[in-house]
Amino acid sequence: AGALESENIAAVVDFGQSRVFTESAASMGTLFYMAPEQAMLSEPGQLVQPDVRWDVYALGATLHALLTGNVPFASPEHVRTLEEAPTLTERLKRYREMIQNAQPLDWKRTTGEVSYELRAIVDRCMAKAPGDRYPTIAAVESDLRNLRERRPVAPLAKQKGYRLRKFVQRNPFQVLAAVAAIGLLIAGGASWSMRSRVQRAGATDILRMFVSAPTEAAGTAFAATGGVASYLRPIAEEALK
């Protein structure tokens, strides 16, 4: 459930339900915001163990609806299929199959520019398999904070060059200083091809290379010698962590 604070800021107030109710005779939730494995009625006398990752899925669905203006997977066809189910058990069964077989989320229509990092966070929240989601709401909050602070987010952390790009975004002045120092690499042991590129393109092209091809630029820093190396290598090592 949601509420408005005094400054008209939206706040979600019912997370942690699975920690309050350790067992339940039936699943409760709103279709298209429910994790697929949550949409199941228990057998008579059988209890259902709630999962925090249900909350994670619901948060992802809410974020997707806010960012795109559309409830995820709630196409007219899907809604009609659920409405035509003769019983609640059949409706939940159709819902589970619908979500499991659905195509990836549609991000073509949004209420504004949505970064690929924020899309990746929402997609992980709404992963079909519980083990592929964030383990807790706190983990989602941590990644949203990382996004705000221009730090790597978990779903993209293993992409080549991603951590280095985030380092460049967080430390533009250090990078500019490093770029200025790269000119000295011509006399400090850089390869002939890099030396030729520096001579041909000049400092402007070096800056562009450091942003668009940060891994290559970091490799150049490691190739430096003498005083240039002592300055550039710590920056490159920190960026590659």
Side-chain angles (χ1 to χ4, degrees):
L4 286 179
E5 298 178 352
S6 57
E7 293 81 11
N8 289 327
I9 299 175
V12 180
V13 297
D14 67 348
F15 284 133
Q17 190 172 209
S18 59
R19 291 193 297 274
V20 177
F21 303 103
T22 57
E23 52 187 27
S24 173
S27 298
M28 296 179 290
T30 303
L31 294 181
F32 298 114
Y33 292 89
M34 291 174 65
E37 73 278 5
Q38 181 183 355
M40 183 178 298
L41 295 177
S42 62
E43 297 296 330
Q46 180 183 358
L47 297 177
V48 176
Q49 182 65 47
D51 192 324
V52 173
R53 291 168 296 186
W54 296 356
D55 285 344
V56 172
Y57 186 97
L59 174 59
T62 301
L63 289 173
H64 184 273
L66 290 172
L67 293 168
T68 66
N70 297 292
V71 178
F73 306 123
S75 67
E77 179 183 356
H78 284 170
V79 172
R80 183 170 58 253
T81 297
L82 295 178
E83 290 177 344
E84 292 174 351
T87 65
L88 177 58
T89 298
E90 176 62 22
R91 182 177 300 175
L92 294 176
K93 178 177 179 290
R94 292 184 183 186
Y95 176 77
R96 290 195 305 274
E97 294 175 349
M98 182 184 299
I99 300 302
Q100 292 292 353
N101 297 325
Q103 295 296 315
L105 291 170
D106 182 10
W107 286 101
K108 293 179 181 178
R109 295 179 58 189
T110 65
T111 55
E113 184 176 350
V114 181
S115 72
Y116 73 100
E117 292 168 302
L118 182 53
R119 294 198 301 267
I121 290 173
V122 174
D123 286 343
R124 173 161 289 193
C125 287
M126 296 189 64
K128 296 174 183 178
D132 293 335
R133 298 176 203 145
Y134 290 96
T136 63
I137 292 294
V140 182
E141 181 185 11
S142 176
D143 246 2
L144 290 173
R145 187 181 305 111
N146 287 338
L147 177 61
R148 184 181 61 190
E149 296 175 355
R150 298 183 178 181
R151 297 186 178 278
V153 297
L156 304 174
K158 294 183 179 180
Q159 286 189 2
K160 184 178 180 181
Y162 173 68
R163 288 183 176 274
L164 191 52
R165 287 196 298 273
K166 301 308 293 183
F167 175 83
V168 172
Q169 292 176 5
R170 291 198 312 275
N171 302 279
F173 295 110
Q174 282 181 278
V175 171
L176 287 173
V179 168
I182 286 177
L184 299 177
L185 292 176
I186 299 173
S191 66
W192 180 87
S193 60
M194 182 58 67
R195 196 178 308 134
S196 174
R197 180 172 181 175
V198 171
Q199 293 171 339
R200 189 172 60 249
T204 301
D205 188 56
I206 296 172
L207 176 58
R208 188 180 301 114
M209 180 192 70
F210 213 99
V211 175
S212 62
T215 303
E216 179 184 349
T220 303
F222 281 116
T225 60
V228 175
S230 64
Y231 177 77
L232 290 178
R233 287 182 184 175
I235 297 177
E237 289 172 352
E238 172 65 21
L240 290 173
K241 287 182 179 179

